[in-house]
Amino acid sequence: MKSLIVYFTLFFMFPNAIKTIEDYKWEKRIVITNFDNMKLDSILEGKAKSIEERKLLFVEFEHSEYIKNTEQDEVDPSGFLNVLSRNNQNPEWVLIGLDGGVKASGSRQDFSLKHIYQLIDQMPMRKSEIKSFNTLN
């Protein structure tokens, strides 16, 4: 009982603990970008509903320096950078699925929200989400 009290005390005292890439597994699909001189804010503006529907988290880097993420969480950027560097082609963006696996990657030239949405909407788990949502309505 004592350890349970300690856990809840720590949880509520430090609700914004630093998150790792693994903390988002099964919660968020992640798009990691590493573009030079390209801010995601303008691309994502007005897209909150479609981003939320797809459970997307965008993590932005520039020259491999962490800028921010769309959840405004405090994150450990090393795991996200590791995903970028594991690919031999040095992608400028990577899409990670809910299962934590890399689903797609590419260069700045082939990055667009429409493309990301199309990739996600073809994933089996997303199709199941859409079906469940349509059943409820």
Side-chain angles (χ1 to χ4, degrees), residues 35-36 38 90-93 106-112 115:
F35 300 135
D36 298 338
M38 182 179 173
N90 295 322
E92 295 178 287
W93 65 268
S107 67
R108 179 180 178 172
Q109 290 76 24
D110 63 334
F111 178 84
S112 74
H115 180 63

Side-chain angles (χ1 to χ4, degrees), residues 70-97:
T70 52
E71 293 288 317
Q72 299 179 350
D73 291 332
E74 190 171 340
V75 299
D76 176 1
S78 62
F80 298 95
L81 278 174
N82 187 32
V83 170
L84 281 170
S85 66
R86 276 190 287 191
N87 192 316
N88 293 337
Q89 300 165 341
N90 295 322
E92 295 178 287
W93 65 268
V94 174
L95 170 62
I96 300 170

